[in-house]
Structures are given as structure tokens and as C-alpha cells.
């Protein structure tokens, strides 16, 4: 009986994963129009939307978002150019860039504005952003993952494969 129930849970989870992937989860995508934003919000239960423009802080956020998109397929990660989306920017009261709008069931649930909640600097780690998003229930952190987090070296997007201290990519 337990085995049967677990098998049903696994089948349900596999169906969910294939639905998520079909809706664009698992990759970090740019939405080209406000119309695309509303379609994405309608098709996905959880969305992290990065309002950006072409500057250094937004590029830093992009690197972290791309990593998290591949790791957490339960949430859709997208970005939209704030200056090309005046209706959304005004409606959602986006003033500081970068801003992450955390959307659940087509409603904005929370915001991550700038880097203030991430240490106030652009040298925050992906894990810090991941924990902030998990605090708003946008991501699922496994208990096993949390235990490993304390043991592993924290990574920053500025750190390359070698520890030369260089900021180049």
C-alpha cells in the first residue's frame, strides 16, 4: 500500500515537472513585451521576474538568476526590460533597478529591491539570493541541501574556477 502511494506521488511529480518544462521553467528567459509577461504569469504558479536595464548591477543579478533557474524548475525565472515596459513598471511601482518581483498565482507577493536585502553590495552569493527567495516561499530548499550549505564554500558570480581574485568572466 505504501509502495503504491509512493509510486502515485512520483508519477504526479514527474507530470508536474514535464508541465513546468513545457511552460519554460528551468531556463532564464527574457520576455520581450508586457503581453508576454501576462501570459507567463497566467501559465506558471510561481515566477521570479527581474526588472532590468543594461547596467552592471543588473548583469550581476542575471548571472545569479540563470544559475537558480536551472536549479529550481518549480519556479519560472524571467527578466523584462523596465524601460521598454512602462505600464508594468508604473503599475508594480518599480523604481530601483534591479528589482525582482516575486509573483504567486498571478499576484505580486513580494519584492527584492536592489541589493539591500542581499548585503548591500553586488558581491552577494547565489546562496544568499536563493535563501531570500526561499524565505518568500518562491523556492523549495531540501533539508539535505540546507545541511550541505553549511559545509560547502559559498560561491559568488565573481569567483571563477581559479582563485586569482579577478573580476573577469
Amino acid at each position: 500500500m505504501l509502495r503504491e502511494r509512493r509510486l502515485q506521488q512520483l508519477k504526479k511529480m514527474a507530470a508536474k515537472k514535464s508541465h513546468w518544462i513545457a511552460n519554460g521553467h528551468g531556463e532564464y528567459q527574457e520576455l520581450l513585451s508586457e503581453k508576454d509577461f501576462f501570459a507567463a504569469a497566467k501559465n506558471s504558479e510561481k515566477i521570479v521576474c527581474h526588472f532590468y536595464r543594461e547596467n552592471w548591477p543588473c548583469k550581476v543579478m542575471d548571472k545569479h538568476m540563470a544559475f537558480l533557474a536551472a536549479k529550481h524548475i518549480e519556479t519560472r525565472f524571467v527578466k523584462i526590460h523596465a524601460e521598454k515596459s512602462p505600464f508594468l513598471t508604473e503599475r508594480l511601482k518599480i523604481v530601483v533597478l534591479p528589482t525582482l518581483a516575486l509573483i504567486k498565482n498571478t499576484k505580486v507577493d513580494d519584492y527584492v529591491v536592489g541589493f539591500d536585502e542581499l548585503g548591500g553590495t553586488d558581491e552577494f552569493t547565489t546562496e544568499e539570493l536563493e535563501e531570500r527567495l526561499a524565505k518568500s516561499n518562491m523556492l523549495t530548499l531540501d533539508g539535505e541541501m540546507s545541511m550541505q550549505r553549511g559545509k560547502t564554500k559559498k560561491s559568488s558570480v565573481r569567483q571563477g574556477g581559479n582563485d586569482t581574485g579577478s573580476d573577469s568572466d
Side-chain angles (χ1 to χ4, degrees):
M1 193 68 163
L2 288 172
R3 186 176 293 163
E4 184 78 22
R5 194 175 309 146
R6 181 67 180 146
L7 189 59
Q8 290 297 335
Q9 287 175 337
L10 290 173
K11 284 181 182 179
K12 201 179 281 188
M13 192 61 179
K16 236 184 209 184
K17 281 184 180 181
S18 64
H19 175 71
W20 287 335
I21 290 170
N23 282 331
H25 292 237
E27 55 189 63
Y28 184 48
Q29 300 172 326
E30 180 168 6
L31 303 177
L32 301 175
S33 70
E34 294 173 337
K35 186 178 180 183
D36 293 342
F37 172 84
F38 290 114
K42 187 177 180 183
N43 290 331
S44 296
E45 184 180 327
K46 295 178 183 179
I47 295 181
V48 176
C49 184
H50 174 206
F51 285 85
Y52 80 99
R53 72 172 197 228
E54 296 299 325
N55 63 11
W56 173 251
C58 292
K59 289 179 182 177
V60 170
M61 187 64 79
D62 277 344
K63 290 181 181 183
H64 291 291
M65 296 279 285
F67 180 79
L68 290 175
K71 187 175 178 182
H72 292 280
I73 64 167
E74 73 274 11
T75 302
R76 185 163 181 198
F77 289 82
V78 297
K79 67 178 181 176
I80 191 163
H81 199 287
E83 293 170 348
K84 294 179 183 175
S85 309
F87 174 77
L88 276 176
T89 305
E90 185 178 323
R91 181 80 185 243
L92 299 178
K93 298 175 179 75
I94 307 294
V95 187
V96 176
L97 296 177
T99 291
L100 302 181
L102 311 181
I103 302 158
K104 284 187 202 169
N105 300 316
T106 69
K107 300 206 182 328
V108 177
D109 189 55
D110 198 2
Y111 293 97
V112 177
V113 180
F115 298 141
D116 290 343
E117 296 179 60
L118 303 168
T121 176
D122 65 358
E123 294 189 11
F124 63 93
T125 63
T126 304
E127 289 82 5
E128 288 171 324
L129 178 59
E130 184 177 32
E131 287 174 7
R132 171 58 183 90
L133 295 175
K135 191 171 112 179
S136 295
N137 295 318
M138 295 303 292
L139 305 177
T140 306
L141 291 181
D142 299 334
E144 181 181 336
M145 214 170 169
S146 297
M147 286 172 41
Q148 287 178 349
R149 183 168 288 114
K151 297 177 185 175
T152 60
K153 178 183 165 188
K154 298 211 177 218
S155 63
S156 161
V157 291
R158 287 192 172 192
Q159 294 173 340
N162 54 8
D163 288 332
T164 62
S166 171
D167 286 347
S168 63
D169 291 348

